[in-house]
Amino acid sequence: MTYFNGYFDYNSTTPMSDGVIKELEKAFTLFANPSSSSKQGRECKNIINLARKYTADLIGAEPEEIIFTSGGSESNNFAVKNRLLKSIQQPGTIIVSTIEHSSILSIVDYFKKEFGFSVKRISPSRKGFIETNTILKALTPDTRLITIMMANNELGNIQPIYEIAEIAAANNIFFHVDGVQAVGKIPVDVRLLKVDSLSISAHKFYGPKGVGALYLRNSKNVHPLIHGGGQEKGIRGGTENLMGIIGMGQAALEAKESLSKWQAHFTQLRSAFCKQLFEKIPDAELNGPDDGKDCLLNTLNLYIPRIRAEALSALLEHKHHCIISLGAACSNNKVLNLSHVLKAIGLSEEKIKGSFRISFGQYTRMDDVRKLVEAIYQSYQVLMSVSG
Ligand SMILES: Cc1ncc(COP(=O)(O)O)c(C=O)c1O
């Protein structure tokens, strides 16, 4: 079995599972165009449709409600664009939380700047939760879209999506959910949640990178994302990413089968990690939910006073071969990279600089957790000794 000790950054990306790699190996020789009417072409189309079924099953959707994309960012962009382009003549209000992924925040800003939409930004509570009364307060008669993520990538908070969907439905407002961090970690059922669209990304649940999907409840009168040869119901033209889709289908199948096992595993890892870490460094603090309630159990965002998380992360990597994260992987591309999520929950610059994220995955073992705590403790002592 594939095994990645020292890797504690599963929210950033996951390795492909052995099952996914096996399916991809089998698929290497498939070369027909899925749109071709030849026997081989039809075979490829059937394989895509099976992957579509597995992906749909993972989130309680129907296969025809799934549009394959290149990942979470594209799915988010597409969902927002599709809804807002319909109101371009009468731009109204967009309600969005301040802790969304950059693929949501930037497309919303784009519509504000280019088309005159107004944006109401919802701040989370100190522990990272979006409270439904803040959504109710933000509603205006011209609200065109509410977009809230299901689980936050940095803190792990699981937001009250069902309640927000009820508010959106009662007011006839389109509700998009970024489900990228939730899908494959907690049960997600779009039918129960009654959301209008939801984004998925395969590389967050042991599938390949560069492939994802958008669940779209109603695909009538959609603005095509890519005008082309009619693939994906005419919504996203272009020859399908066959390998990526096969990998995603297999990953979705495995995630559905293993979800409860993974959740139980994360519960154990989380409680062992917290017990051991707080024993060694009692003044460490959890930035996200304290009790693990309404939270991704694999995710811990921590603050350790008097140290720089950047230095800690470097020591962990180079001395102990442990990979952790300072925040969202993509925000590392920016020059000034203080986490907008930690800012949004009101942490001071000092606290943000002392904060880091640990995220476990299916391959994390109890022994890895013990080694990680020891590595953090040793690095902490080094940093304390040099800071005087
Ligand atoms: C919450 C969230 N949304 C969207 C994305 C983007 O997904 P992708 O990397 O597939 O574009 C990420 C990736 O980190 C994420 O964490």
Side-chain angles (χ1 to χ4, degrees):
M1 185 208 264
T2 326
Y3 174 59
F4 300 86
N5 65 352
Y7 186 68
F8 301 97
D9 198 12
Y10 281 81
N11 282 12
S12 162
T13 196
T14 60
M16 287 192 286
S17 73
D18 289 350
V20 168
I21 293 172
K22 214 163 119 204
E23 284 305 307
L24 292 185
E25 279 168 356
K26 280 201 280 179
F28 275 140
T29 48
L30 292 173
F31 82 98
N33 190 320
S35 300
S36 148
S37 58
S38 65
K39 182 170 170 285
Q40 287 87 346
R42 290 197 310 274
E43 211 175 283
C44 289
K45 180 67 101 198
N46 288 342
I47 292 173
I48 289 180
N49 285 337
L50 187 61
R52 199 185 303 281
K53 181 184 173 330
Y54 292 153
T55 306
D57 283 350
L58 179 60
I59 59 166
E62 296 298 328
E64 51 281 8
E65 294 168 327
I66 298 294
I67 296 148
F68 287 119
T69 66
S70 70
S73 301
E74 181 181 316
S75 299
N76 281 339
N77 269 254
F78 173 39
V80 171
K81 275 189 180 163
N82 175 50
R83 173 62 196 95
L84 296 183
L85 284 175
K86 289 180 180 156
S87 309
I88 215 86
Q89 303 303 335
Q90 285 179 300
T93 302
I94 307 163
I95 297 179
V96 62
S97 89
T98 51
I99 55 171
E100 297 299 301
H101 185 261
S102 54
S103 55
I104 287 287
L105 294 175
S106 5
I107 185 77
V108 162
D109 278 348
Y110 174 79
F111 272 86
K112 177 181 174 185
K113 188 162 160 269
E114 296 294 327
F115 303 107
F117 283 82
S118 74
V119 181
K120 287 214 171 163
R121 293 170 213 278
I122 306 291
S123 294
S125 68
R126 165 65 191 84
K127 281 292 178 183
F129 289 106
I130 304 299
E131 285 157 357
T132 47
N133 66 337
T134 58
I135 305 271
L136 279 170
K137 273 193 212 143
L139 287 180
T140 51
D142 73 344
T143 301
R144 310 284 184 230
L145 168 72
I146 300 176
T147 174
I148 301 290
M149 70 203 324
M150 188 155 188
N152 184 265
N153 42 322
E154 294 189 43
L155 294 165
N157 298 63
I158 300 169
Q159 306 299 353
I161 295 301
Y162 178 80
E163 288 80 358
I164 300 172
E166 297 245 288
I167 296 173
N171 291 278
N172 206 15
I173 299 167
F174 191 97
F175 181 31
H176 171 64
V177 173
D178 176 349
V180 167
Q181 288 292 344
V183 172
K185 297 197 186 88
I186 55 169
V188 174
D189 188 326
V190 289
R191 199 68 55 217
L192 284 178
L193 290 171
K194 296 191 215 126
V195 302
D196 291 302
S197 58
L198 184 133
S199 302
I200 311 177
S201 178
H203 75 101
K204 305 293 182 181
F205 56 94
Y206 312 98
K209 295 177 216 330
V211 59
L214 182 72
Y215 156 78
L216 195 56
R217 181 143 63 111
N218 180 355
S219 53
K220 282 196 197 107
N221 305 321
V222 168
H223 280 273
L225 176 65
I226 301 176
H227 297 258
Q231 291 90 345
E232 298 296 301
K233 296 202 291 182
I235 292 172
R236 187 182 190 268
T239 302
E240 295 88 340
N241 172 6
L242 185 61
M243 293 293 277
I245 291 171
I246 289 173
M248 175 151 165
Q250 177 64 23
L253 183 70
E254 291 174 17
K256 180 145 172 90
E257 279 170 9
S258 311
L259 206 56
S260 43
K261 191 176 79 191
W262 292 346
Q263 285 189 298
H265 182 55
F266 296 152
T267 308
Q268 289 181 342
L269 296 176
R270 184 186 187 89
S271 92
F273 176 85
C274 288
K275 187 168 174 296
Q276 292 169 31
L277 186 88
F278 293 122
E279 253 166 42
K280 286 190 184 293
I281 312 177
D283 56 356
E285 288 170 28
L286 272 175
N287 290 323
D290 301 308
D291 49 7
K293 197 172 164 287
D294 295 325
C295 178
L296 297 178
L297 293 168
N298 80 317
T299 309
L300 291 137
N301 199 304
L302 290 144
Y303 162 65
I304 301 186
R306 300 178 296 283
I307 62 152
R308 284 290 165 102
E310 220 168 329
L312 174 74
S313 159
L315 272 178
L316 286 175
E317 177 171 0
H318 299 297
K319 196 152 185 296
H320 302 277
H321 313 291
C322 291
I323 307 292
I324 60 154
S325 158
L326 298 180
C330 15
S331 65
N332 291 348
N333 298 332
K334 295 174 194 156
V335 185
L336 181 68
N337 97 51
L338 279 189
S339 153
H340 72 282
V341 173
L342 298 187
K343 270 193 209 160
I345 61 168
L347 295 197
S348 65
E349 191 173 326
E350 200 46 39
K351 269 201 157 180
I352 297 175
K353 286 180 176 164
S355 295
F356 57 98
R357 177 187 73 187
I358 285 161
S359 44
F360 304 128
Q362 64 161 319
Y363 302 119
T364 315
R365 302 185 313 191
M366 206 45 113
D367 196 42
D368 301 326
V369 167
R370 192 186 51 71
K371 285 185 188 145
L372 174 66
V373 173
E374 191 52 40
I376 294 177
Y377 185 55
Q378 283 184 21
S379 309
Y380 167 73
Q381 285 180 315
V382 171
L383 294 172
M384 292 299 280
S385 69
V386 292
S387 75

